[in-house]
Amino acid sequence: MDEKALKRMGKYVSFLLRHHPEEAGVILDEHGWTDVKDLIEKVSPLYPLTEELLHTLAFGKDKQRYEFSEDGTRVRAVHGHSVEVDLGYEEMMPPEILYHGTAEKSRASIEEKGLLKMSRQYVHLSERIDQAKEVGRRHGKLVLYKVNAKEMYENGIKFYRSTSGVWLTDQVPAKYLEEIKN
Ligand code: HQG
């Protein structure tokens, strides 16, 4: 399967695991898990998903997106949800600095209101600057922020680290943001 087709299929799988499982009759449990065989069956009218391809999608070139249960029979997205699921991640001390990439069109609102979770369950922050750049560019002309995570943490704001290494938090007040000019 070529890269483009794989990417399209991945978007659909993520759409089901993160946002609208009901569109294909997929059932997520309260922690976001679903049965691998059932998922493959529900995706099959649209895409030729196999267990092997699901593993390829899970451990993508750029980052991990899904994880499997120990026995390999269940799968869930590790970040990005808009559906209410309890991922069970433990609160953790973040690195001193995290990054968030966004687009020019959001700058004014972000500088006024800070980073909000918008349609997702959490605000997503990156450990690596190149990853934040990539995330930002998906939305338009890149604007990059440094997030003073340590200061937030010291002020009692909670952070969670997803299995993929993406950091999750409820919101980032504007005072903890600093734009990095490219
Ligand atoms: C912006 C991907 C206006 C925010 C990525 C972003 C990530 C505001 C957009 C993960 C705002 C939401 C999530 C405010 C935030 N006013 N705009 N106050 N606060 N925004 O897609 O972080 O590759 O929901 O800057 O790698 O871009 O799919 O979030 O531009 O980890 O695995 O509102 O999704 O993971 O966009 O991406 P999104 P995101 P995957």
Side-chain angles (χ1 to χ4, degrees):
M1 175 174 266
D2 71 58
E3 281 286 311
K4 257 194 175 163
L6 191 66
K7 202 166 172 184
R8 246 192 331 266
M9 184 163 76
K11 281 205 177 290
Y12 183 60
V13 173
S14 288
F15 170 81
L16 296 176
L17 294 180
R18 295 171 173 176
H19 308 297
H20 288 287
E22 76 287 355
E23 289 272 313
V26 169
I27 310 266
L28 303 185
D29 75 7
E30 60 182 319
H31 305 294
W33 296 100
T34 195
D35 184 77
V36 169
K37 288 204 164 69
D38 185 63
L39 176 69
I40 290 171
E41 194 186 310
K42 299 284 166 56
V43 167
S44 68
L46 291 181
Y47 297 97
L49 185 62
T50 60
E51 279 198 35
E52 200 187 333
L53 286 170
L54 190 59
H55 276 82
T56 307
L57 291 172
F59 305 100
K61 272 195 304 197
D62 51 343
K63 76 169 105 153
Q64 185 179 351
R65 290 195 166 80
Y66 319 137
E67 67 184 342
F68 294 86
S69 58
E70 249 169 61
D71 63 2
T73 62
R74 293 182 309 150
V75 63
R76 72 171 180 180
V78 289
H79 62 244
H81 299 84
S82 58
V83 286
E84 279 287 320
V85 290
D86 172 13
L87 293 168
Y89 296 141
E90 279 184 32
E91 194 199 329
M92 266 179 81
M93 185 173 84
E96 191 164 343
I97 300 294
L98 288 168
Y99 300 94
H100 181 86
T102 186
E104 186 82 49
K105 58 177 188 266
S106 305
R107 182 198 265 130
S109 165
I110 288 174
E111 287 177 10
E112 184 194 337
K113 300 181 193 140
L115 291 174
L116 304 176
K117 46 192 158 186
M118 312 306 275
S119 62
R120 302 202 196 242
Q121 248 193 321
Y122 295 101
V123 170
H124 288 57
L125 303 171
S126 307
E127 278 179 16
R128 297 204 331 262
I129 205 162
D130 56 313
Q131 205 157 71
K133 282 184 179 172
E134 220 170 279
V135 175
R137 286 196 191 105
R138 302 191 313 180
H139 295 286
K141 190 167 180 301
L142 176 69
V143 171
L144 195 60
Y145 288 104
K146 191 168 116 174
V147 177
N148 290 315
K150 185 169 177 239
E151 209 184 317
M152 287 174 65
Y153 182 74
E154 283 170 358
N155 289 334
I157 298 173
K158 292 188 174 122
F159 284 83
Y160 307 90
R161 188 178 193 272
S162 78
T163 308
S164 57
V166 168
W167 285 84
L168 307 170
T169 191
D170 283 333
Q171 58 165 310
V172 180
K175 65 176 174 182
Y176 299 109
L177 293 170
E178 213 174 296
E179 189 178 341
I180 302 174
K181 300 278 182 192
N182 303 275

